[in-house]
Amino acid sequence: METKAAAVLNAVPPYGHLIASEKWRNSSLIQSLKGGGVKILFEKELGVADFHLPNKSCILYVSECDIIAGNSYKRKLVRYRNSSSSFQELVLVENTRLSEQYFSAVQKFVVFDLGLTLLPVSGQTEASQLITQIVHGGGGRENPFRRRTSSQLLDPLILALVQQVPGVGRVKALALLQHFSSIQKLCNAAPAQLEPIVGHAAAQQIHNFFHKATAAGT
Amino acid sequence: DSSVSKSSAPSGPVCILADSRCISSGVELMTTLRQRHAATVHVCSLDGSYFIVSNRMAVERHSQSDLAAMQNRKRLAERVNSLQGLFERVCLIVEKDRTKPGEVSRPFQRTRYYDSTVTALVRTGVRLLWSDGAEESAGLLADLARLEQRKGQGIAVPLEVKGQHSQQALQLFLSLPSVNYIHALSMSHNFRSIAQLINSSIEAIQKAGCMSQPRAEEIYRFLRYSCDSFLMNTSKNS
């Protein structure tokens, strides 16, 4: 029995599907989800969460009523936070004319105290549009905000950094890097080693720049 | 959260760095931050119009219609990408559109496009906060800074560097890869010279720069990286 419950609690629906808690069966939210082409599986033992979505996220729905009625939704939120482990936990909050006066307090509790993600909706219609988007949006086109690990070439960055040294332009920077291939080698070169490349004055200046005390210790 | 009870004192005013471009769009917000929340707001020149509220968190303000406009997505994606490269945590405050006096306030029309943008942001790990306007956004910024301070991540170094050489050193630190303004500022205050940074261990860089270990490792490797002069010669004028 317990293992069965645990299996349900961690169930991830197939793509295009959503697992809904039984209590939502006759809601308008479910009706419009179906209208949007989302396939619904109902489940009696989903725990605190209202919906499980593909891409390992789940949703707890906080209605206008919950908010106005007071504190029991907070206990539910805490249980929600403590329950599912591997899911991205989203909280949909109805922000309506009646509940908007409480919204900022709800946000503080959900985001600052519990560290969950809050998405405001005006009601079940907007919620169904958003949920449809989450269900269908996962596949297909790539997320434009996914961080691309750019394998940036370091050489131009090093060249740019060396040009931050006062009196060193592109020509001198290139000449210096041909002799001292890394910033560390350049920094630790004695003025006498720099002199044949950039001349006496610049050699002193470069060495001083690296070794002169900054305002540290202030 | 075990990191909650860490060193830096939970009391005292919070420090927030703001890009100079935040002023023109946010006089009211800046005033509220300073007067109502007693925050120390220091204006500096960042690489975008955003706020830094801790050693690891950047916050950007966007209007709801900003997020809903299709032509903005590429720019938004670039901004978010670049911030995620510089900060461990990135937060967007989504603000209701302001109605000009005399204008009838129209309810915001939520589109599928808007929903997909919001969904994509959430999935990338960007934190979203919702605000009614400048005043509320100021409160959220102050709350974020306070929370980060409680977690031992608050900005604790002096916000200014004095003297020409220190200014130049700060600029040099800023040209290191993946280094944001608060890292560079911390290094300017914690290293006696540029050479000291260059010859420091990963641990020392991590500590002085108030940064994560992977970031410190990246800097350490960068400083020792051997340039290929062939590549340098072919690289176009930078």
Side-chain angles (χ1 to χ4, degrees):
Chain A
M1 185 64 204
E2 266 181 27
T3 45
K4 193 217 164 209
V8 171
L9 284 178
N10 292 308
V12 180
Y15 177 71
H17 289 62
L18 166 155
I19 303 176
S21 162
E22 182 65 34
K23 61 179 181 245
W24 285 90
R25 192 181 278 276
N26 297 316
S27 63
S28 66
L29 174 54
I30 291 294
Q31 289 313 314
S32 28
L33 279 176
K34 282 180 181 163
V38 178
K39 297 189 183 66
I40 320 274
L41 308 164
F42 290 99
E43 175 56 56
K44 283 201 185 78
E45 298 173 53
L46 210 53
V48 204
D50 290 296
F51 307 103
H52 281 193
L53 311 177
N55 319 309
K56 301 210 87 176
S57 52
C58 56
I59 287 175
L60 181 77
Y61 193 90
V62 180
S63 71
E64 174 190 80
C65 282
D66 292 334
I67 295 169
I68 293 166
N71 284 325
S72 71
Y73 78 93
K74 286 196 174 179
R75 274 199 295 279
K76 205 157 95 177
L77 278 164
V78 172
R79 275 199 295 145
Y80 180 60
R81 203 269 310 261
N82 295 340
S83 65
S84 42
S85 48
S86 56
F87 284 80
Q88 180 171 27
E89 295 161 304
L90 312 176
V91 180
L92 261 53
V93 172
E94 273 187 4
N95 190 18
T96 64
R97 279 174 62 196
L98 285 178
S99 66
E100 68 183 355
Q101 56 178 315
Y102 306 104
F103 181 78
S104 94
V106 175
Q107 169 160 270
K108 273 193 185 133
F109 186 67
V110 172
V111 180
F112 288 99
D113 296 346
L114 300 181
L116 301 173
T117 302
L118 183 154
L119 299 170
V121 291
S122 66
Q124 294 196 11
T125 313
E126 267 192 16
S128 79
Q129 286 161 6
L130 182 61
I131 293 173
T132 308
Q133 193 57 53
I134 302 175
V135 171
H136 290 322
R141 276 168 306 147
E142 207 191 316
N143 185 341
F145 299 104
R146 181 77 59 214
R147 205 180 154 218
R148 287 173 291 279
T149 38
S150 53
S151 50
Q152 219 174 1
L153 276 179
L154 294 183
D155 298 54
L157 297 180
I158 290 172
L159 183 61
L161 186 138
V162 174
Q163 290 178 69
Q164 294 281 335
V165 180
V168 177
R170 188 177 160 81
V171 174
K172 277 185 186 160
L174 280 168
L176 286 166
L177 285 168
Q178 263 155 14
H179 287 83
F180 308 96
S181 58
S182 73
I183 293 170
Q184 191 185 36
K185 283 186 187 141
L186 176 62
C187 163
N188 294 333
Q193 292 174 284
L194 299 169
E195 210 176 304
I197 307 160
V198 289
H200 178 74
Q204 277 300 337
Q205 199 185 1
I206 294 165
H207 185 82
N208 280 348
F209 180 72
F210 282 118
H211 294 271
K212 188 179 165 186
T214 55
T218 48
Chain B
D1 198 335
S2 62
S3 59
V4 171
S5 54
K6 256 198 169 171
S7 53
S8 63
S11 56
V14 290
C15 284
I16 295 176
L17 291 172
D19 179 65
S20 48
R21 276 159 286 187
C22 295
I23 305 175
S24 55
S25 59
V27 180
E28 192 188 351
L29 181 135
M30 299 285 226
T31 324
T32 314
L33 264 178
R34 288 196 173 116
Q35 293 179 352
R36 180 126 20 112
H37 303 284
T40 309
V41 186
H42 180 70
V43 177
C44 53
S45 179
L46 306 174
D47 58 322
S49 73
Y50 60 89
F51 298 86
I52 304 179
V53 295
S54 74
N55 290 327
R56 58 178 185 182
M57 187 188 274
V59 184
E60 247 188 32
R61 267 170 97 199
H62 287 277
S63 70
Q64 235 173 354
S65 58
D66 232 11
L67 244 57
M70 207 163 317
Q71 64 272 23
N72 286 344
R73 186 185 269 186
K74 191 162 174 255
R75 200 171 47 89
L76 183 66
E78 279 168 9
R79 294 288 318 126
V80 167
N81 265 315
S82 124
L83 284 177
Q84 286 189 313
L86 293 175
F87 294 86
E88 272 73 46
R89 300 192 177 190
V90 176
C91 185
L92 294 193
I93 295 180
V94 184
E95 223 169 81
K96 271 204 186 126
D97 287 272
R98 201 206 298 247
T99 45
K100 296 186 189 83
E103 209 175 73
V104 187
S105 81
R106 274 173 302 171
F108 173 69
Q109 280 300 318
R110 203 161 162 146
T111 60
R112 232 161 83 188
Y113 190 80
Y114 174 82
D115 281 343
S116 79
T117 301
V118 168
T119 311
L121 283 169
V122 167
R123 200 159 278 145
T124 328
V126 173
R127 281 138 228 259
L128 296 176
L129 286 169
W130 310 89
S131 157
D132 256 349
E135 243 178 73
E136 193 175 354
S137 298
L140 291 171
L141 274 168
D143 284 344
L144 280 172
R146 225 168 281 131
L147 185 67
E148 287 289 277
Q149 195 180 50
R150 274 208 303 276
K151 291 182 175 177
Q153 295 290 343
I155 298 173
V157 290
L159 300 178
E160 280 173 283
V161 287
K162 296 205 171 70
Q164 192 197 16
H165 180 61
S166 300
Q167 284 289 347
Q168 289 167 338
L170 175 68
Q171 289 308 315
L172 182 132
F173 294 154
L174 279 170
S175 64
L176 291 164
S178 302
V179 162
N180 68 36
Y181 194 88
I182 192 69
H183 297 141
L185 197 59
S186 305
M187 289 194 284
S188 308
H189 287 294
N190 292 329
F191 284 121
R192 284 191 310 276
S193 66
I194 300 171
Q196 196 196 6
L197 157 74
I198 293 176
N199 292 309
S200 279
S201 66
I202 294 171
E203 292 71 31
I205 297 174
Q206 186 184 349
K207 192 156 171 280
C210 304
M211 61 178 72
S212 68
Q213 195 188 330
R215 212 179 286 282
E217 279 168 10
E218 194 182 342
I219 295 170
Y220 180 88
R221 280 199 306 271
F222 178 78
L223 295 169
R224 283 155 188 79
Y225 178 85
S226 217
C227 276
D228 180 339
S229 52
F230 172 72
L231 269 179
M232 304 260 304
N233 290 332
T234 51
S235 71
K236 294 277 178 287
N237 299 345
S238 50

